[in-house]
Amino acid sequence: MGSPEPDGQRPRPSLLGWFRVSHWRWFIPLVVLLYALGLNNYWRVSRDSALYLSLGRSLAEGTGYTFNHKPHKMVLPGFPVMIAGAMRLTGTDCVPDRMLLINVMMTLCGLACIGVSYLLLKELGLRRRALFAGVMMVGLSRELYFYSHMALTDVPFALLVLFGLYAALRMLRADGRPFWM
């Protein structure tokens, strides 16, 4: 623990003292395994996901951006286009065999959120232990895990926001060179 303080008391252990850099070796495979175990080939029913899947199906079938055979104007087409791409590869029925690719895409978006949060926290200049703690909190977040296994826009949106924050921070610190370098 170290030598006693001048007043005879020992220093308090740091909250982050139990984190070690070597924990990265087990944390990354553990989180990937955890997210992979949550994968399944079923649709988790919700009103929003039904709308996104229906819009994606109509795009994949070539009937345009329609919901119940009527043009749709309420939801932006980004996520339904992503779903349509998966449905073009696997088929447009939402049967269990065909939902796996959509669920894999959502899980990959969740894992990418963890990776971009690492880049963002590293760019902020956190020490290794604080960086590990921050990434661990994001990676083991119940909400990120739960929504990474549903066909909703929440996780792709979070990924774009995190990447936008990272890119903005890099641009502020770029000193005249392109921010991706």
Side-chain angles (χ1 to χ4, degrees), residues 111-147:
L111 290 171
C113 280
I114 299 167
V116 175
S117 70
Y118 166 78
L119 293 174
L120 180 62
L121 294 173
K122 187 175 179 186
E123 188 66 27
L124 288 171
L126 295 181
R127 293 178 303 169
R128 287 184 177 186
R129 288 182 180 175
L131 178 64
F132 179 70
V135 173
M136 190 172 93
M137 283 190 278
V138 172
L140 298 178
S141 163
R142 179 199 174 280
E143 298 299 317
L144 181 62
Y145 181 79
F146 180 74
Y147 287 111

